[in-house]
Amino acid sequence: MSHIIIQGGGRLEGTLNVQGAKNSVLPILAATILHPGRTVLRGCPHLSDVEASIRILRHLGCTADWEGEELAVDASSISRWDIPDHLMREMRSSVVFLGAILARLGWAEMSYPGGCELGPRPIDLHLSSLRQLGADLREEGGCLRCTAQHMSGREIALSLPSVGATENAMLAACGAEGETVLVNAAREPEITDLQEFLRAMGCRVRGAGSSTICIQGRQPTHDAAYTVMPDRIAAATYLSAAAAAGGEVELRRVHHRHLSTVTAALHASGCQVSGGEGQIVLRSDGRLRSAGTIRTAPYPGFPTDAQAVLMAALLRAKGATVFVENIFENRYRHVDELCRMGADISVADRVAVVTGVRELYGAQVRCTDLRGGAALMVAGLAAQGTTRIGDIFHIQRGYEDPVGDLRQLGADITLEETP
Ligand code: EPZ
């Protein structure tokens, strides 16, 4: 089992280019099967979740290959419409392929995506959206069997702005006759990136970024090349690391408006943060103060994916910060691991109160999930002594090269790989 080893206590200095966005490229990879031809993705991050999507595309009959730093997909000859259990279990968000497969082939079959570390991950909104478009979905023995020979566009109102359900409905609607209007759609930047990719292929989609998205289905598509947007959560992670350790860090290839609620919280905690065209600069003396109350919410609110890393940055802050996790039921699994490092955090249901301590201490810790693992890296950078992080496969799902990136910023961090 591989580990990440961090010698904490040093400041971070330097410049870093931010990787492409995991939560944008995953639905975009599903969307490539809408076009019976070639699409090229630039800025696609090398992540285990991307490799899992590539395996799904190849299983369906596509070719999907790295050409240098570009990922080329050719979906000319899709031969299958099923995603087998072992591929679904690799990545639960593969459910986003459902809408695209139905749009392209009219059939789809996949095992029911289970829950994950964050708690149950229902897909009722995904399924109700597809049924409203005319799909016949049957759930039998843990398997979803779907038929959608003739989908028709219509107005679909989502009871909550689910990111995945919005994406699945957008992709399915591309295969429906007429116009689909999604009401109460998610407004995340990743939704806008998916829209721009679809438009690059010739699909007619508008309104992403607002709560109402319109899709004109069954448009002719053509080959396209597209550059994936920067990962706002990776950016939030590295800013939190600099805030915790102290120093001066400049992030490039980042849209600062995509994480303005995160930079506002970091500013409130005493960091100096400035955002320019495509870059963010953060300066910190490493001694922060309470950021008040942080409530996670759908975009443009504070992103749930940044909750853990901001928490880690505030473990030594003066005063107490209150976190309210409003999106997922079980998103404090990193707390116990942080407390092993000397953190003072109390959790009651969706509320976590972080009371700053004078020092954190390196410890043996384990990743509980993707962003919880990133939080352990942030805390390790601020801790005295050595932190040894296990189960780092969680981190590798969403961060392309966290060790290399943090080393580039001056961190004393190494990857210990054991066969
Ligand atoms: C996406 O997950 C992201 N994943 C998550 O990032 C992110 O935390 C989440 O959006 C919220 O921003 C990807 O994009 C691959 P949701 P998703 O549907 O689509 C409930 C990370 O760390 N819900 O917006 O699954 C659900 O239980 C990951 O990168 C239903 O009840 O999120 C949750 O409480 C973690 N029924 C809430 O909505 C449904 O049919 C938000 O979920 C769907 C969702």
Side-chain angles (χ1 to χ4, degrees), residues 22-23 26 92-93 118 120-126 160-165 167 188 304-305 327-328 331 370-371:
K22 167 182 87 77
N23 291 348
L26 296 182
R92 63 162 307 284
S93 55
L118 308 184
R121 299 290 292 275
I123 58 168
D124 55 305
L125 300 178
H126 298 239
L160 59 85
S162 154
V163 171
E167 292 163 346
E188 273 70 6
T304 174
D305 294 347
I327 304 295
F328 288 109
R331 202 163 199 177
L370 166 56
R371 307 304 177 183

Side-chain angles (χ1 to χ4, degrees), residues 9-13 241-249 266 269-272 282-289 313 316-318 382:
R11 290 164 56 84
L12 298 186
E13 311 273 352
E248 180 171 338
V249 161
L266 289 166
S269 69
C271 299
Q272 295 174 47
L282 181 140
R283 297 178 183 85
S284 164
D285 63 5
R287 281 291 171 194
L288 307 180
R289 58 177 179 261
R316 296 189 304 151
K318 188 172 183 313

Side-chain angles (χ1 to χ4, degrees), residues 13 19 30 46 58 67 81 105 111 124 127 246 251-252 284 286 297-298 323 389 410:
E13 311 273 352
Q19 71 181 56
H46 292 261
R58 289 173 178 164
E67 295 175 356
W81 61 75
L105 298 172
S111 62
D124 55 305
L127 303 185
L251 299 186
R252 290 183 180 158
S284 164
F323 287 84
I389 305 174

Side-chain angles (χ1 to χ4, degrees), residues 331-354:
R331 202 163 199 177
Y332 290 130
R333 298 182 71 229
H334 48 281
V335 165
D336 287 347
E337 296 301 306
L338 292 174
C339 290
R340 287 169 62 87
M341 300 174 71
D344 178 354
I345 309 170
S346 57
V347 173
D349 194 22
R350 289 179 179 263
V351 177
V353 179
V354 179

Side-chain angles (χ1 to χ4, degrees), residues 166-167 170 180 182 184-199 204-215 226 258 299:
T166 298
E167 292 163 346
M170 287 169 73
T180 297
L182 298 183
N184 195 27
R187 296 161 57 187
E188 273 70 6
E190 292 78 16
I191 303 289
T192 302
D193 217 30
L194 176 60
Q195 168 181 278
E196 293 313 303
F197 172 73
L198 290 169
R199 290 162 69 109
R204 285 176 57 193
V205 187
R206 59 188 169 82
S210 77
S211 297
T212 304
I213 301 175
C214 301
I215 304 101
Y226 189 76
H258 285 174
Y299 193 87

